[in-house]
Amino acid sequence: MKRRNLILGGTALVALGACSSSKFKRYNGPQVTYVIVNKGDRRMYLMHHDKVLESYDIKLGFAPVGHKVYEGDGRTPEGIYMIDRRNPNSRFHLSIGINYPNEMDRARAEALGKSPGGDIFIHGQKTAKDKNRTDWTWGCISVSNDEMEEIYAMVGDNTPIALNP
């Protein structure tokens, strides 16, 4: 009886270990010193000084051309910003925040009598099938969930990000 329980217990532990996979990865490589997003090419690059560490295909806001002007316009911002926060409980798997809007963004929206919006993130998808969709966000940058796990591990807070047209 002892032997049977031991075998069944060991089998259960192995099965549970195989089922558990964390969305939180470790990264021990060179520091990501900045991020480049080229909206026109739909590519994002994680850089260590002048060396590309990783690159990813991206999806943007549903109105991808031009700089974000106000909340709800469906555009992804353009300019130099910073990664300023992370959300391990995002509705979109994982996410890291971009410090949009800056003072200029607020002034531009205010001149139109609108809110500049906010909550611009690099994030994964709600479901795995989202990865094949065209530009679909409200102004964020989307990658696959597996890619977001890598990015979340590699990119630290206070990392500059250049969002190019």
Side-chain angles (χ1 to χ4, degrees), residues 88-107:
N89 300 312
S90 172
R91 292 184 309 145
F92 301 97
H93 192 59
L94 292 169
S95 62
I96 56 176
I98 298 170
N99 71 337
Y100 171 91
N102 60 30
E103 286 300 317
M104 231 167 42
D105 298 322
R106 282 190 277 281

mmCIF file of all heavy atoms in Angstrom, residues 88-107:
data_model
loop_
_atom_site.group_PDB
_atom_site.id
_atom_site.type_symbol
_atom_site.label_atom_id
_atom_site.label_comp_id
_atom_site.label_asym_id
_atom_site.label_seq_id
_atom_site.Cartn_x
_atom_site.Cartn_y
_atom_site.Cartn_z
ATOM 1 N N PRO A 88 1.050 43.049 -14.184
ATOM 2 C CA PRO A 88 1.085 41.590 -14.303
ATOM 3 C C PRO A 88 -0.309 40.978 -14.411
ATOM 4 O O PRO A 88 -0.438 39.806 -14.743
ATOM 5 C CB PRO A 88 1.775 41.153 -13.015
ATOM 6 C CG PRO A 88 1.454 42.235 -12.042
ATOM 7 C CD PRO A 88 1.411 43.503 -12.851
ATOM 8 N N ASN A 89 -1.357 41.775 -14.140
ATOM 9 C CA ASN A 89 -2.735 41.270 -14.172
ATOM 10 C C ASN A 89 -3.539 41.915 -15.290
ATOM 11 O O ASN A 89 -4.750 42.077 -15.181
ATOM 12 C CB ASN A 89 -3.413 41.532 -12.819
ATOM 13 C CG ASN A 89 -2.675 40.843 -11.700
ATOM 14 O OD1 ASN A 89 -2.348 39.670 -11.799
ATOM 15 N ND2 ASN A 89 -2.372 41.578 -10.656
ATOM 16 N N SER A 90 -2.883 42.279 -16.371
ATOM 17 C CA SER A 90 -3.530 42.935 -17.499
ATOM 18 C C SER A 90 -4.600 42.045 -18.122
ATOM 19 O O SER A 90 -4.457 40.818 -18.159
ATOM 20 C CB SER A 90 -2.465 43.260 -18.554
ATOM 21 O OG SER A 90 -3.060 43.725 -19.737
ATOM 22 N N ARG A 91 -5.651 42.662 -18.648
ATOM 23 C CA ARG A 91 -6.659 41.923 -19.420
ATOM 24 C C ARG A 91 -6.046 41.376 -20.706
ATOM 25 O O ARG A 91 -6.640 40.537 -21.378
ATOM 26 C CB ARG A 91 -7.831 42.837 -19.795
ATOM 27 C CG ARG A 91 -8.664 43.266 -18.621
ATOM 28 C CD ARG A 91 -9.865 44.082 -19.057
ATOM 29 N NE ARG A 91 -9.481 45.177 -19.948
ATOM 30 C CZ ARG A 91 -10.216 45.609 -20.959
ATOM 31 N NH1 ARG A 91 -11.376 45.066 -21.223
ATOM 32 N NH2 ARG A 91 -9.805 46.616 -21.709
ATOM 33 N N PHE A 92 -4.863 41.874 -21.051
ATOM 34 C CA PHE A 92 -4.174 41.469 -22.272
ATOM 35 C C PHE A 92 -2.886 40.730 -21.932
ATOM 36 O O PHE A 92 -1.812 41.078 -22.407
ATOM 37 C CB PHE A 92 -3.908 42.693 -23.147
ATOM 38 C CG PHE A 92 -5.174 43.416 -23.518
ATOM 39 C CD1 PHE A 92 -5.597 44.518 -22.803
ATOM 40 C CD2 PHE A 92 -5.950 42.957 -24.564
ATOM 41 C CE1 PHE A 92 -6.768 45.173 -23.143
ATOM 42 C CE2 PHE A 92 -7.129 43.602 -24.904
ATOM 43 C CZ PHE A 92 -7.540 44.706 -24.191
ATOM 44 N N HIS A 93 -3.004 39.739 -21.062
ATOM 45 C CA HIS A 93 -1.933 38.825 -20.638
ATOM 46 C C HIS A 93 -0.956 39.519 -19.690
ATOM 47 O O HIS A 93 -1.002 39.280 -18.502
ATOM 48 C CB HIS A 93 -1.239 38.212 -21.854
ATOM 49 C CG HIS A 93 -0.337 37.078 -21.525
ATOM 50 N ND1 HIS A 93 -0.783 35.937 -20.890
ATOM 51 C CD2 HIS A 93 0.978 36.908 -21.720
ATOM 52 C CE1 HIS A 93 0.233 35.117 -20.713
ATOM 53 N NE2 HIS A 93 1.308 35.674 -21.210
ATOM 54 N N LEU A 94 -0.060 40.321 -20.208
ATOM 55 C CA LEU A 94 0.878 41.147 -19.436
ATOM 56 C C LEU A 94 0.974 42.482 -20.161
ATOM 57 O O LEU A 94 0.726 42.549 -21.366
ATOM 58 C CB LEU A 94 2.281 40.523 -19.402
ATOM 59 C CG LEU A 94 2.481 39.232 -18.639
ATOM 60 C CD1 LEU A 94 3.864 38.651 -18.959
ATOM 61 C CD2 LEU A 94 2.331 39.447 -17.149
ATOM 62 N N SER A 95 1.371 43.531 -19.450
ATOM 63 C CA SER A 95 1.561 44.801 -20.143
ATOM 64 C C SER A 95 2.577 45.671 -19.425
ATOM 65 O O SER A 95 2.769 45.550 -18.218
ATOM 66 C CB SER A 95 0.230 45.551 -20.277
ATOM 67 O OG SER A 95 -0.315 45.863 -19.022
ATOM 68 N N ILE A 96 3.235 46.514 -20.217
ATOM 69 C CA ILE A 96 4.131 47.536 -19.669
ATOM 70 C C ILE A 96 3.680 48.886 -20.200
ATOM 71 O O ILE A 96 3.342 49.029 -21.378
ATOM 72 C CB ILE A 96 5.628 47.261 -19.986
ATOM 73 C CG1 ILE A 96 5.884 47.109 -21.480
ATOM 74 C CG2 ILE A 96 6.117 46.042 -19.225
ATOM 75 C CD1 ILE A 96 7.352 46.941 -21.837
ATOM 76 N N GLY A 97 3.625 49.866 -19.293
ATOM 77 C CA GLY A 97 3.050 51.163 -19.614
ATOM 78 C C GLY A 97 4.038 52.153 -20.201
ATOM 79 O O GLY A 97 5.224 52.145 -19.889
ATOM 80 N N ILE A 98 3.505 53.028 -21.037
ATOM 81 C CA ILE A 98 4.245 54.122 -21.662
ATOM 82 C C ILE A 98 3.696 55.419 -21.076
ATOM 83 O O ILE A 98 2.487 55.579 -20.956
ATOM 84 C CB ILE A 98 4.053 54.080 -23.200
ATOM 85 C CG1 ILE A 98 4.620 52.763 -23.741
ATOM 86 C CG2 ILE A 98 4.696 55.295 -23.865
ATOM 87 C CD1 ILE A 98 4.278 52.491 -25.190
ATOM 88 N N ASN A 99 4.578 56.354 -20.723
ATOM 89 C CA ASN A 99 4.134 57.543 -19.987
ATOM 90 C C ASN A 99 3.476 58.627 -20.854
ATOM 91 O O ASN A 99 3.631 59.808 -20.603
ATOM 92 C CB ASN A 99 5.280 58.134 -19.155
ATOM 93 C CG ASN A 99 6.340 58.803 -20.003
ATOM 94 O OD1 ASN A 99 6.497 58.517 -21.183
ATOM 95 N ND2 ASN A 99 7.097 59.702 -19.391
ATOM 96 N N TYR A 100 2.702 58.217 -21.834
ATOM 97 C CA TYR A 100 1.845 59.126 -22.582
ATOM 98 C C TYR A 100 0.660 59.482 -21.694
ATOM 99 O O TYR A 100 0.141 58.600 -21.015
ATOM 100 C CB TYR A 100 1.351 58.457 -23.874
ATOM 101 C CG TYR A 100 0.296 59.268 -24.589
ATOM 102 C CD1 TYR A 100 0.650 60.194 -25.545
ATOM 103 C CD2 TYR A 100 -1.054 59.112 -24.284
ATOM 104 C CE1 TYR A 100 -0.324 60.959 -26.185
ATOM 105 C CE2 TYR A 100 -2.023 59.869 -24.915
ATOM 106 C CZ TYR A 100 -1.651 60.786 -25.854
ATOM 107 O OH TYR A 100 -2.604 61.544 -26.477
ATOM 108 N N PRO A 101 0.199 60.723 -21.649
ATOM 109 C CA PRO A 101 0.581 61.899 -22.416
ATOM 110 C C PRO A 101 1.648 62.724 -21.711
ATOM 111 O O PRO A 101 1.721 62.747 -20.484
ATOM 112 C CB PRO A 101 -0.730 62.682 -22.487
ATOM 113 C CG PRO A 101 -1.409 62.370 -21.185
ATOM 114 C CD PRO A 101 -1.022 60.945 -20.864
ATOM 115 N N ASN A 102 2.445 63.436 -22.493
ATOM 116 C CA ASN A 102 3.376 64.404 -21.925
ATOM 117 C C ASN A 102 2.714 65.785 -21.981
ATOM 118 O O ASN A 102 1.554 65.910 -22.392
ATOM 119 C CB ASN A 102 4.734 64.368 -22.655
ATOM 120 C CG ASN A 102 4.622 64.684 -24.135
ATOM 121 O OD1 ASN A 102 3.741 65.429 -24.578
ATOM 122 N ND2 ASN A 102 5.527 64.113 -24.925
ATOM 123 N N GLU A 103 3.432 66.818 -21.589
ATOM 124 C CA GLU A 103 2.850 68.174 -21.545
ATOM 125 C C GLU A 103 2.365 68.634 -22.921
ATOM 126 O O GLU A 103 1.303 69.244 -23.047
ATOM 127 C CB GLU A 103 3.867 69.177 -20.991
ATOM 128 C CG GLU A 103 4.087 69.064 -19.500
ATOM 129 C CD GLU A 103 2.812 69.300 -18.690
ATOM 130 O OE1 GLU A 103 2.046 70.240 -19.013
ATOM 131 O OE2 GLU A 103 2.564 68.528 -17.757
ATOM 132 N N MET A 104 3.143 68.363 -23.956
ATOM 133 C CA MET A 104 2.758 68.759 -25.309
ATOM 134 C C MET A 104 1.483 68.034 -25.753
ATOM 135 O O MET A 104 0.607 68.632 -26.386
ATOM 136 C CB MET A 104 3.900 68.467 -26.288
ATOM 137 C CG MET A 104 4.243 69.651 -27.148
ATOM 138 S SD MET A 104 5.800 69.536 -28.064
ATOM 139 C CE MET A 104 5.881 67.900 -28.683
ATOM 140 N N ASP A 105 1.396 66.746 -25.417
ATOM 141 C CA ASP A 105 0.206 65.974 -25.768
ATOM 142 C C ASP A 105 -1.033 66.542 -25.082
ATOM 143 O O ASP A 105 -2.096 66.670 -25.697
ATOM 144 C CB ASP A 105 0.371 64.504 -25.366
ATOM 145 C CG ASP A 105 1.520 63.817 -26.077
ATOM 146 O OD1 ASP A 105 1.736 64.088 -27.274
ATOM 147 O OD2 ASP A 105 2.203 63.005 -25.424
ATOM 148 N N ARG A 106 -0.894 66.906 -23.804
ATOM 149 C CA ARG A 106 -2.022 67.470 -23.061
ATOM 150 C C ARG A 106 -2.457 68.811 -23.661
ATOM 151 O O ARG A 106 -3.651 69.073 -23.823
ATOM 152 C CB ARG A 106 -1.663 67.627 -21.578
ATOM 153 C CG ARG A 106 -1.727 66.313 -20.814
ATOM 154 C CD ARG A 106 -1.611 66.519 -19.307
ATOM 155 N NE ARG A 106 -0.235 66.638 -18.851
ATOM 156 C CZ ARG A 106 0.592 65.617 -18.671
ATOM 157 N NH1 ARG A 106 0.189 64.379 -18.899
ATOM 158 N NH2 ARG A 106 1.817 65.814 -18.252
ATOM 159 N N ALA A 107 -1.477 69.646 -24.002
ATOM 160 C CA ALA A 107 -1.788 70.963 -24.580
ATOM 161 C C ALA A 107 -2.483 70.819 -25.935
ATOM 162 O O ALA A 107 -3.441 71.544 -26.231
ATOM 163 C CB ALA A 107 -0.513 71.786 -24.718
#
